């Protein structure tokens, strides 16, 4: 058993995206990663995919999930279910930060861009 401080997200090289890894491989996990992110107004994650399932919990704000050519609006209190290999992008469609928690069915979390190249993540997974 390990107790880990839930650090606040900090700015990353991805414009408008702040990140904190709350638990993952470096914490001794083998099958789970938990991330906290804050996406600034009008910002978005890069389009990407993972080879594992992802669940995103929206804590505050509102956004749009672009996934496999479809767009789904969401807001605080809703959960996004992203099956493995689903190309997706999360946009903040509101005027305030979009606060989300991502839970991944594996660790470390591999991430790929639409062209198939690896998206090197600037944080621990």
């Amino acid at each position: 058993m390990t107790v880990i401080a839930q650090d606040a997200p900090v700015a990353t090289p991805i414009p408008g995206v702040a990140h904190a890894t709350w638990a993952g491989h470096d914490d001794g996990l083998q099958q789970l990663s938990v991330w906290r992110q804050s996406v600034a107004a009008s910002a978005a994650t890069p389009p990407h995919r993972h080879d594992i399932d992802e669940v995103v919990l929206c804590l505050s704000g509102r956004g749009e999930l672009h996934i496999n050519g479809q767009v789904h609006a969401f807001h605080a209190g809703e959960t996004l279910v992203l099956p493995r290999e689903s190309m997706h992008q999360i946009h903040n469609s509101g005027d305030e930060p979009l606060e989300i928690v991502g839970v991944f069915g594996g660790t470390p979390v591999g991430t790929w861009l639409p062209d198939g190249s690896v998206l090197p993540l600037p944080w621990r997974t």
Side-chain angles (χ1 to χ4, degrees):
M1 166 54 209
T2 303
V3 176
I4 303 169
Q6 293 180 351
D7 295 333
V10 295
T12 72
I14 300 172
V17 177
H19 175 91
T21 298
W22 279 0
H25 185 262
D26 291 350
D27 303 302
L29 293 176
Q30 295 180 15
Q31 299 179 3
L32 189 70
S33 289
V34 180
W35 299 353
R36 171 73 188 266
Q37 292 185 331
S38 180
V39 182
S42 301
T45 66
H48 64 282
R49 66 176 176 81
H50 310 285
D51 62 353
I52 54 178
D53 295 329
E54 177 181 4
V55 172
V56 176
L57 312 169
C58 182
L59 304 178
S60 66
R62 60 189 165 111
E64 289 183 348
L65 170 65
H66 295 226
I67 184 167
N68 298 328
Q70 298 179 336
V71 177
H72 303 275
F74 66 92
H75 55 77
E78 293 185 319
T79 299
L80 312 177
V81 177
L82 311 174
R84 63 181 295 195
E85 302 297 343
S86 298
M87 188 61 62
H88 61 280
Q89 184 175 29
I90 295 175
H91 293 257
N92 182 339
S93 60
D95 297 329
E96 60 188 55
L98 173 63
E99 303 293 336
I100 56 177
V101 172
V103 180
F104 298 84
T107 191
V109 178
T111 306
W112 292 267
L113 294 167
D115 67 4
S117 64
V118 171
L119 173 60
L121 297 175
W123 52 77
R124 66 185 185 92
T125 67

